[in-house]
Amino acid sequence: MIGPGAGARVYLACGATDMRKSITGLAVLAQEHLRQNPASGAVFAFRGRRGDRIKLLYWDGQGFCLYYKILQKGRFPWPGSGDAVARLTSAQLAMLWEGIDWRRPSWGAPPARVG
């Protein structure tokens, strides 16, 4: 995905968002609901009610970028509290975008040392 770098701040709008909202509507949500400046360079993530689609809003310094993804199968993992906001790391955002549960990644145990 072309977009923000590894150190980007990521804000996730908990609960469901109306996916009919455009860039302007999502920027208003970022400002009023998440209490963040939408043009700050942070990434703002929103998920629809059905859970199979997300939108990411990002200001790249010249304008807003809107990333939209619809899963063919499954749902994006998402916290349910409608008025809350969650902070994610860039790694968690990458997992979210791929449909991986960023809340509980399944990492294998490190290999045993030989020698």
Side-chain angles (χ1 to χ4, degrees), residues 10-52:
V10 181
Y11 298 96
L12 188 144
C14 298
T17 299
D18 182 353
M19 287 288 103
R20 296 175 292 181
K21 290 193 180 297
S22 65
I23 288 174
T24 305
L26 294 174
V28 168
L29 281 179
Q31 186 165 351
E32 293 179 359
H33 177 70
L34 304 178
R35 307 253 189 268
Q36 298 295 322
N37 177 0
S40 67
V43 178
F44 301 96
F46 305 91
R47 188 184 86 159
R49 187 167 311 283
R50 292 188 350 208
D52 65 340

Side-chain angles (χ1 to χ4, degrees), residues 7-95:
R9 294 177 326 279
V10 181
Y11 298 96
L12 188 144
C14 298
T17 299
D18 182 353
M19 287 288 103
R20 296 175 292 181
K21 290 193 180 297
S22 65
I23 288 174
T24 305
L26 294 174
V28 168
L29 281 179
Q31 186 165 351
E32 293 179 359
H33 177 70
L34 304 178
R35 307 253 189 268
Q36 298 295 322
N37 177 0
S40 67
V43 178
F44 301 96
F46 305 91
R47 188 184 86 159
R49 187 167 311 283
R50 292 188 350 208
D52 65 340
R53 45 197 82 204
I54 61 171
K55 286 185 177 181
L56 304 179
L57 181 67
Y58 168 66
W59 175 265
D60 71 356
Q62 297 177 327
F64 282 107
C65 301
L66 182 64
Y67 301 94
Y68 186 36
K69 185 167 185 175
I70 302 172
L71 291 177
Q72 289 298 118
K73 295 179 184 175
R75 299 168 50 119
F76 289 101
W78 211 261
S81 181
D83 292 331
V85 60
R87 274 295 295 271
L88 274 62
T89 66
S90 299
Q92 289 171 318
L93 176 62
M95 287 187 280

Side-chain angles (χ1 to χ4, degrees), residues 95-115:
M95 287 187 280
L96 171 65
W97 188 253
E98 294 301 324
I100 299 169
D101 192 343
W102 53 271
R103 300 167 296 184
R104 290 176 301 237
S106 177
W107 304 118
R113 289 191 63 161
V114 177

